[in-house]
């Protein structure tokens, strides 16, 4: 459900540097001339291209050497904010304009990478003011120039200090120094620089050359260490919006007990509810519950982690905020009865054909402006919320009804991470039988063999690896009695068995639903199977609806939120606290972390919070996050986050060095695994080339103080509740480092893409993946009246089980927005980072990586067109493209962005 479409530059609601024009997003490239009145520069004037990639920004410099030193020119690129004209007005605007006219916008100081050979002290910096270049605003870029006279013995430039003389912060994209003896020097900033009137400490930016800590030039060694100290903070006080401090805290801001007692939630993180750590905000504690933190209107994230105002007007973070703060409440106003369902199945179709007329807001046409795909203008000028028909439904209107599609989606659908091989028989619970009842499953060998039709025996099917399971029994059963206290929902523990057919497809065999002893009643369990008579068919459909609700909740809370968004936040915090920006591993990971902390903060604010979308629309209800904590405690392992290890742990593959990717899949046609392993190998080869370049010897890994501190902090602080687990990988060799980094990158890219971008295609038509089951099975302790109603109107029983109209519409709106690729999405391997491009060896490695991803595009197309792959090809079947690396804007069901940015 989580995925914001944003570009690189962070967002802020604060006031920003004002420019004379609002930011208008133009074409991806633009051309213009830099003009100068000097004779030399007129003769040397060059036409150049300007793009988002700093590598394409060229500075014009004089190469005239005087006896006093070298003439060096710096060109600073500043991104203009969308809110420039709106948020910056008044006296400060005039003062800043005067600064621009006087040529004193930015004070720059060049820092030598070398110490003075005589004194062994840092060399004095070289200062110059930068002035704005004319009135050019190109693709939102403002450019400033500064001229330096650098002594011949100054040595290599290692860093640059920047002081912002304006009264408002500004976003520095990059700085290019030209005229130095060894060629142009690129300094990628990508950061907000505060006003000196807010903070008199100057910002430091290091050049794009990467150094291990032990290799850091002595002239900038102190600065490297001091910058990390600043980013760590002191663990005290409340964080302010402009801070750049990274620190840890538990999830103690999900609940809101000061607002209502029923909104109190337990703290996640600690012995009772193990959980990863989030970014510390330092907000005051609640008055009614001192263990919980007050929920402020804005959730702090470090300044450079926030969404950007510096992006195109067609889509921005305002779409997300409009979704949660305007659209979701408005749907609640239109559908005023939270419990009303759909009267018949065809009524669901009206959401795609007729839509829901929405009330106008303060601004006419607001809905159409911020969510053009969701809203259509109707007669009279109003707006109607009308959903696009999801692709599977477009191809086959009855796809959701079919058992073969139910089974196929475990391998090629939204949640391919749950299906497991059955290795032990009979099935048995590990829960305490004194509390939860007899542990033996009601699914017997005789029952399964009858379903298989005498083709094989159960023990033989297990030996031949033909029996598979979706097992949510032990995870959900402890929550059943609590969830059933919530009005309008129910829950079971569930097991679903599948048989691998000779054609390589799965066939569902049985569903077991279990209720523990409660309310003075003994344990209840029943097995449902596909049937060929009316009553049995409808009971099977109802049982499938319950299992799909369980799978939807597990997908959203575990496969998606926990295993990508949540566990990655400690990696981001540790990377910024322990790895300098000039560390090669920091630069390798940084693209994969953009905006994840901000979307996680938005999730805490509006998705996983008490009374939020997840709690009100998914099966575990108010216990959703407690269930998520239980899954982290029982199921999560860092080593199993690696795709090959994940597949092996679920019995879906065995190690085979002679097979492609070093694995033999248990099911040959497993689209997620087939495509994912190719992507995994491509990522691992890229990481291997990168790591081996910067660590030519394994001993350098063990002796890298920053790297060791980084890995220690991830294990012992970011994932403190699992710090003593024996499965954490060591970090002593290059091989260790390659495996760890590949895993982190995979989680942020391939894993997230596989469980995120299919959300609307597969769950947009909610009968295919209901998020909640509202009523119990008709066979569970029915009254005579209940059983009679089921027999007379089984369709009504199914509709009563499905989400209510309000629940379904809210979830569909969220999935529609969050499954969408923005026009400026950054896909893995598509564009090179400037720091990588500056090193010829790394540049060549990246180009090889990018080439492999382009090959994967073609391979996936070929697989989808191959009729022998029945799990991704066939009548009415949507091709599996979730791991296809690149995508066009919109809900395409494909594309692997660099980062978890929604």
């Amino acid at each position: 459900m989580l995925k914001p479409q944003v570009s690189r530059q962070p967002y802020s609601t604060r006031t920003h540097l004002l420019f004379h024009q609002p930011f208008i997003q133009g074409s991806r490239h633009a051309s213009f001339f830099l003009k100068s009145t000097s004779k030399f520069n007129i003769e040397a004037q060059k036409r150049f291209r300007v793009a988002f990639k700093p590598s394409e920004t060229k500075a014009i410099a004089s190469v005239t050497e005087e006896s006093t030193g070298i003439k060096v020119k710096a060109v600073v690129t500043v991104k203009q904010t969308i809110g420039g004209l709106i948020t910056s007005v008044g006296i400060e605007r005039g003062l800043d304009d005067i600064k621009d006219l006087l040529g004193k916008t930015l004070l720059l100081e060049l820092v030598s990478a070398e110490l003075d050979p005589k004194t062994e002290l840092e060399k004095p910096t070289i200062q110059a003011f930068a002035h704005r270049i004319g009135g050019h605003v190109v693709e939102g870029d403002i450019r400033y120039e500064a001229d330096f006279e650098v002594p011949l013995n100054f040595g290599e430039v290692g860093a640059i200090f920047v002081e912002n003389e304006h009264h408002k912060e500004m976003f520095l994209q990059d700085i290019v120094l030209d005229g130095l003896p060894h060629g142009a020097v690129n300094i990628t900033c990508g950061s907000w620089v505060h006003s000196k009137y807010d903070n008199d400490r100057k910002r430091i930016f290091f050049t794009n050359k990467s150094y291990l800590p032990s290799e850091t030039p002595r002239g900038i060694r102190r600065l490297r260490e001091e910058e990390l100290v600043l980013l760590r903070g002191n663990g005290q006080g409340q964080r302010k919006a402009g801070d750049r401090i990274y620190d840890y805290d538990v999830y103690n801001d999900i609940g809101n007990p000061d607002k209502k007692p029923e909104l109190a939630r337990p703290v996640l993180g600690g012995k009772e509810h193990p959980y990863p750590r989030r970014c510390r905000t330092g907000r005051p504690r609640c008055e009614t519950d001192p263990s919980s933190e007050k929920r402020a209107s804005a959730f702090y994230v470090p300044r450079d982690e926030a969404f950007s105002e510096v992006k195109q007007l067609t889509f921005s973070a305002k779409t997300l905020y409009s979704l949660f703060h305007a659209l979701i409440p408005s749907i609640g106003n239109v559908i005023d009865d939270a419990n009303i369902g759909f009267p018949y199945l065809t009524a669901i179709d009206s959401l795609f054909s007729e839509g829901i007329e929405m009330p106008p807001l303060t601004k006419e046409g607001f809905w159409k402006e911020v969510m053009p795909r969701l809203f259509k203008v109707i007669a009279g000028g109003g707006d109607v919320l009308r959903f696009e028909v999801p692709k599977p439904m477009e191809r086959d209107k009855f796809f959701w009804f079919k058992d073969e599609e139910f089974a196929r989606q475990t391998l090629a659908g939204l949640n391919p991470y749950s299906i497991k091989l059955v290795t032990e028989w009979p099935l048995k619970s590990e829960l305490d039988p004194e509390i939860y009842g007899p542990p033996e499953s009601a699914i017997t060998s005789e029952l399964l063999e009858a379903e298989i039709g005498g083709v094989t025996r159960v023990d033989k099917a297990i030996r031949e690896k033909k029996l598979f399971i979706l097992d949510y029994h032990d995870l959900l059963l402890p929550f059943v009695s609590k969830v059933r206290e919530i009005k309008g929902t129910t829950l079971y523990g569930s097991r679903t068995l599948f048989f691998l057919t000779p054609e390589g497809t799965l066939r569902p065999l049985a569903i077991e639903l279990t209720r523990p002893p409660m309310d003075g009643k003994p344990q209840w369990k029943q097995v449902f199977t596909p049937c060929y008579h009316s009553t049995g068919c409808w009971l099977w459909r109802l049982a499938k609806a319950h299992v799909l609700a369980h799978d939807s909740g597990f997908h959203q809370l575990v496969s998606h939120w926990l295993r990508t968004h949540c566990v990655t936040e400690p990696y981001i915090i540790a990377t910024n606290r322990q790895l300098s920006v000039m560390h090669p591993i920091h630069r390798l990971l940084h693209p994969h972390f953009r905006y994840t902390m901000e979307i996680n903060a938005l999730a805490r604010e509006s998705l996983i919070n008490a009374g939020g979308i997840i709690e009100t629309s998914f099966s575990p209800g108010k216990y959703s996050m407690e269930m998520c904590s239980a899954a982290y405690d029982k199921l999560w392992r860092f080593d199993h986050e690696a795709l090959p290890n994940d597949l092996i742990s679920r019995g879906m593959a065995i190690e085979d060095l002679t097979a492609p990717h070093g694995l033999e899949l248990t099911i040959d046609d497993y689209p997620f695994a087939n495509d994912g392993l190719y992507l995994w190998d491509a990522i691992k080869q890229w990481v291997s080339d990168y790591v081996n370049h910067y660590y030519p010897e394994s001993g350098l890994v063990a002796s890298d103080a920053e790297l060791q501190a980084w890995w220690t902090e991830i294990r012992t602080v970011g994932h403190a509740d699992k710090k003593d687990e024996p499965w954490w990988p060591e970090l002593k060799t290059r091989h260790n480092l390659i495996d760890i980094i590949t895993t982190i990158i995979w989680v942020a890219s391939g894993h997230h893409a596989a469980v995120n971008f299919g959300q609307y295609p597969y769950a947009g038509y909610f009968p295919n993946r209901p998020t909640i089951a509202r009523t119990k099975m008709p066979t569970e302790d029915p009254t005579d009246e209940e059983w009679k109603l089921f027999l007379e109107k089984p369709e009504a029983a199914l509709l009563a089980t499905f989400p209510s109209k309000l629940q379904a519409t809210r979830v569909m709106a969220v999935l529609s927005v969050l499954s969408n690729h923005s026009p400026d999405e950054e896909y893995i391997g598509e564009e090179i980072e400037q720091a990588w491009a500056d090193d010829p060896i790394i540049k060549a490695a990246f180009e090889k990586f990018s080439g492999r991803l382009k090959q994967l595009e073609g391979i996936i197309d070929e697989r989808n067109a191959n009729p022998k792959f029945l799990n991704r090809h066939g009548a009415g079947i949507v091709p599996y493209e979730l791991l296809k690396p690149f995508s066009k804007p919109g809900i395409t069901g494909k594309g692997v962005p660099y980062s978890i940015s929604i």
Side-chain angles (χ1 to χ4, degrees):
M1 181 176 285
L2 305 161
K3 183 227 162 271
Q5 304 120 1
V6 292
S7 62
R8 291 186 180 176
Q9 299 74 28
Y11 170 84
S12 173
T13 56
R14 296 176 54 187
T15 306
H16 301 292
L17 173 66
L18 180 67
F19 299 98
H20 295 294
Q21 306 176 41
F23 167 36
I24 302 297
Q25 179 68 37
S27 61
R28 187 133 177 98
H29 297 280
S31 299
F32 65 90
F33 287 90
L34 286 184
K35 298 185 181 296
S36 171
T37 55
S38 71
K39 180 179 180 181
F40 175 84
N41 279 332
I42 291 174
E43 295 173 351
Q45 190 176 80
K46 296 182 179 179
R47 189 173 186 265
F48 67 97
R49 294 169 66 80
V50 178
F52 285 120
K53 296 190 298 182
S55 59
E56 295 183 350
T57 302
K58 303 297 182 184
I60 306 300
S62 169
V63 296
T64 303
E65 288 194 20
E66 307 290 348
S67 58
T68 54
I70 304 169
K71 301 293 185 182
V72 175
K73 185 181 294 294
V75 174
V76 182
T77 301
V78 172
K79 287 289 183 182
Q80 186 174 350
T81 66
I82 291 175
L85 284 173
I86 300 171
T87 58
S88 296
V89 294
I91 296 174
E92 292 178 348
R93 156 72 190 269
L95 294 174
D96 289 347
D97 284 351
I98 293 172
K99 294 273 189 181
D100 282 349
L101 290 172
L102 295 177
K104 291 190 174 184
T105 307
L106 295 166
L107 176 62
L108 308 180
E109 297 183 40
L110 303 183
V111 180
S112 175
E114 303 171 2
L115 295 180
D116 188 303
K118 294 181 181 179
T119 65
E120 289 293 302
L121 299 175
E122 295 172 1
K123 294 181 179 180
T125 60
I126 309 298
Q127 293 188 353
F129 277 102
H131 60 276
R132 181 169 170 171
I133 305 172
H136 294 291
V137 180
V138 180
E139 292 195 342
D141 293 349
I142 305 292
R143 284 186 166 71
Y144 295 84
E145 282 187 357
D147 296 297
F148 298 91
E149 188 169 291
V150 181
L152 295 173
N153 64 351
F154 187 72
E156 183 179 348
V157 174
I160 187 167
F161 280 111
V162 178
E163 183 176 76
N164 175 12
E165 305 294 315
H166 275 198
H167 288 77
K168 303 297 177 184
E169 65 180 351
M170 61 173 67
F171 188 84
L172 255 63
Q173 179 72 6
D174 59 68
I175 302 171
V176 182
L177 303 175
D178 213 346
L180 293 163
H182 300 293
V185 173
N186 292 310
I187 302 171
T188 301
C189 305
S191 180
W192 292 97
V193 177
H194 56 262
S195 166
K196 73 174 186 179
Y197 300 102
D198 294 329
N199 185 342
D200 60 4
R201 180 182 288 274
K202 299 172 183 175
R203 284 293 307 277
I204 182 78
F205 294 100
F206 299 99
T207 65
N208 285 358
K209 190 170 182 179
S210 297
Y211 297 99
L212 299 181
S214 61
E215 298 169 347
T216 309
R218 294 194 298 165
I220 55 174
R221 191 169 295 170
R222 175 185 63 85
L223 297 174
R224 177 177 185 147
E225 295 170 355
E226 287 183 355
E227 178 71 358
L228 284 174
V229 171
L230 287 173
L231 291 170
R232 292 173 195 146
N234 60 9
Q236 304 296 316
Q238 184 173 352
R239 299 275 64 85
K240 300 186 295 294
D243 287 349
R244 298 171 54 242
I245 295 173
Y246 295 77
D247 204 351
Y248 300 92
D249 206 345
V250 293
Y251 278 73
N252 60 356
D253 62 347
I254 302 299
N256 194 356
D258 284 353
K259 184 176 182 180
K260 291 181 181 179
E262 56 267 30
L263 294 179
R265 297 293 181 270
V267 173
L268 302 184
K271 186 175 181 179
E272 186 174 355
H273 297 290
Y275 214 60
R277 299 305 189 256
R278 63 166 175 90
C279 183
R280 179 185 178 276
T281 65
R283 289 171 294 189
R285 296 303 177 97
C286 292
E287 297 174 5
T288 56
D289 178 13
S291 66
S292 296
E293 197 173 72
K294 285 183 179 292
R295 291 171 58 82
S297 56
F299 282 50
Y300 166 81
V301 294
R303 186 65 187 93
D304 290 334
E305 304 293 338
F307 296 156
S308 178
E309 277 195 12
V310 186
K311 61 183 283 86
Q312 54 183 277
L313 291 168
T314 56
F315 186 93
S316 70
K318 72 177 181 180
T319 304
L320 286 170
Y321 289 105
S322 299
L323 170 70
F324 293 120
H325 297 288
L327 179 56
I328 297 302
S330 294
I331 292 173
N333 293 331
V334 173
I335 307 173
D336 54 2
D337 187 344
N339 298 313
I340 191 171
F342 291 88
Y344 39 85
L345 286 170
T346 52
I348 300 170
D349 297 347
S350 67
L351 295 173
F352 307 98
S353 57
E354 300 172 15
I356 301 173
E357 188 171 351
M358 300 298 292
L361 295 188
T362 54
K363 179 182 177 183
E364 185 177 349
F366 171 83
W367 295 121
K368 180 69 176 173
E369 178 185 330
V370 298
M371 300 175 189
R373 289 179 37 262
L374 272 178
F375 282 88
K376 309 294 184 288
V377 177
I378 60 176
D383 289 320
V384 62
L385 172 63
R386 185 184 301 158
F387 293 98
E388 293 182 3
V389 177
K391 285 186 177 180
M393 185 185 177
E394 196 174 56
R395 288 188 172 221
D396 182 355
K397 186 175 182 178
F398 302 104
F399 78 107
W400 66 278
F401 220 54
K402 300 175 180 177
D403 286 353
E404 58 267 32
E405 182 65 10
F406 168 55
R408 188 190 73 85
Q409 287 183 27
T410 66
L411 303 174
L414 186 53
N415 183 29
Y417 273 99
S418 286
I419 189 76
K420 297 190 298 184
L421 180 70
V422 175
T423 57
E424 296 181 356
W425 193 262
L427 301 175
K428 190 174 182 180
S429 172
E430 296 181 359
L431 298 174
D432 185 349
E434 294 295 321
I435 301 174
Y436 300 105
E440 294 81 13
S441 171
I443 302 176
T444 63
S445 297
E446 293 77 14
L447 186 149
L448 291 186
E449 288 165 5
E451 285 301 313
I452 295 171
V455 174
T456 187
R457 291 175 56 86
V458 168
D459 57 350
K460 185 179 179 183
I462 292 174
R463 287 197 306 273
E464 294 177 348
K465 299 182 178 180
K466 291 185 176 180
L467 204 58
F468 298 84
I469 188 170
L470 286 180
D471 191 351
Y472 298 126
H473 184 278
D474 284 11
L475 180 65
L476 295 182
L477 204 63
F479 295 94
V480 169
S481 60
K482 293 190 289 188
V483 168
R484 287 189 171 208
E485 294 175 0
I486 304 171
K487 182 181 178 181
T489 188
T490 192
L491 190 65
Y492 295 100
S494 68
R495 298 183 178 104
T496 307
L497 273 294
F498 301 87
F499 178 71
L500 182 63
T501 69
E503 292 79 21
T505 60
L506 291 178
R507 180 158 71 89
L509 298 178
I511 292 172
E512 179 185 34
L513 300 178
T514 304
R515 181 204 67 199
M518 56 180 290
D519 300 332
K521 298 178 181 179
Q523 182 194 70
W524 177 91
K525 64 177 66 170
Q526 186 172 348
V527 178
F528 303 89
T529 58
C531 281
Y532 301 94
H533 61 83
S534 179
T535 301
C537 282
W538 278 105
L539 289 174
W540 171 249
R541 289 164 186 159
L542 286 163
K544 280 200 303 181
H546 281 274
V547 168
L548 287 166
H550 302 165
D551 192 62
S552 293
F554 186 88
H555 159 262
Q556 203 61 259
L557 289 161
V558 181
S559 300
H560 186 195
W561 164 255
L562 174 66
R563 292 188 62 181
T564 64
H565 290 262
C566 187
V567 301
T568 296
E569 187 150 337
Y571 310 153
I572 302 171
I573 298 171
T575 298
N576 284 278
R577 285 169 54 88
Q578 301 297 343
L579 298 180
S580 166
V581 292
M582 70 174 79
H583 197 292
I585 299 302
H586 186 291
R587 286 187 163 135
L588 177 59
L589 289 174
H590 179 68
H592 300 284
F593 292 160
R594 290 188 183 111
Y595 306 122
T596 299
M597 289 181 71
E598 174 78 339
I599 189 60
N600 287 0
L602 184 58
R604 300 200 324 269
E605 182 181 353
S606 301
L607 283 176
I608 63 173
N609 61 301
I613 299 297
I614 297 293
E615 284 198 1
T616 57
S617 303
F618 284 78
S619 270
K622 65 180 287 187
Y623 301 100
S624 292
M625 295 306 290
E626 288 185 50
M627 189 274 279
C628 188
S629 168
Y632 177 71
D633 183 34
K634 298 176 184 297
L635 305 177
W636 188 84
R637 294 175 49 156
F638 179 86
D639 57 334
H640 287 178
E641 291 290 275
L643 178 60
N645 292 345
D646 168 76
L647 294 170
I648 292 170
S649 72
R650 291 187 286 121
M652 302 304 290
I654 59 172
E655 191 171 1
D656 181 355
L657 298 180
T658 65
H661 316 295
L663 292 179
E664 179 186 342
L665 292 177
T666 309
I667 300 176
D668 292 335
D669 184 15
Y670 186 0
F672 161 70
N674 299 133
D675 300 350
L677 286 170
Y678 191 102
L679 178 58
W680 169 273
D681 280 357
I683 293 171
K684 187 169 184 178
Q685 185 59 59
W686 154 239
V687 173
S688 298
D689 292 342
Y690 190 98
V691 167
N692 290 332
H693 175 62
Y694 286 107
Y695 294 90
E697 300 174 2
S698 275
L700 293 171
V701 172
S703 64
D704 186 333
E706 287 184 8
L707 191 69
Q708 294 300 322
W710 168 78
W711 185 234
T712 298
E713 186 167 289
I714 285 174
R715 292 182 293 110
T716 64
V717 184
H719 288 274
D721 300 329
K722 287 183 172 282
K723 62 183 176 63
D724 297 322
E725 297 286 358
W727 40 253
W728 283 106
E730 294 181 322
L731 183 52
K732 295 181 178 179
T733 67
R734 290 185 297 179
H735 177 73
N736 298 152
L737 180 57
I738 289 166
D739 284 347
I740 290 168
I741 298 300
T742 302
T743 298
I744 292 174
I745 291 177
W746 163 257
V747 167
S749 56
H751 181 147
H752 182 258
V755 298
N756 182 77
F757 291 103
Q759 290 190 92
Y760 188 76
Y762 283 107
Y765 185 71
F766 70 85
N768 183 58
R769 289 189 65 81
T771 59
I772 194 168
R774 295 189 294 147
T775 59
K776 63 183 179 67
M777 290 292 293
T779 53
E780 184 198 336
D781 304 328
T783 64
D784 292 342
E785 183 64 24
E786 287 172 340
W787 185 248
K788 180 182 177 183
L789 286 174
F790 164 67
L791 292 177
E792 291 178 351
K793 291 188 175 181
E795 180 185 354
L798 182 61
L799 288 166
T801 302
F802 282 160
S804 70
K805 188 173 183 180
L806 178 61
Q807 290 169 329
T809 307
R810 280 178 166 174
V811 171
M812 289 168 67
V814 172
L815 296 185
S816 178
V817 171
L818 302 184
S819 298
N820 184 59
H821 286 295
S822 66
D824 50 3
E825 190 87 78
E826 295 176 18
Y827 299 99
I828 188 169
E830 187 173 37
E831 293 192 14
I832 193 169
E833 295 288 299
Q834 182 63 53
W836 305 342
D838 286 351
D839 187 310
I841 294 176
I842 299 301
K843 181 180 180 182
F846 179 84
E847 289 172 348
K848 182 172 68 172
F849 173 53
S850 183
R852 290 198 68 184
L853 297 184
K854 291 181 175 67
Q855 290 177 352
L856 178 56
E857 290 257 314
I859 290 170
I860 290 175
D861 286 339
E862 290 174 4
R863 288 171 174 169
N864 287 331
N866 192 331
K868 77 174 185 178
F869 294 134
L870 300 179
N871 290 321
R872 62 195 306 161
H873 177 93
I877 290 177
V878 174
Y880 188 77
E881 297 183 315
L882 290 173
L883 292 176
K884 203 170 184 180
F886 312 113
S887 174
K888 295 178 181 179
I891 298 178
T892 63
K894 58 185 173 182
V896 182
Y898 267 113
S899 64
I900 306 169
S901 55
I902 272 197

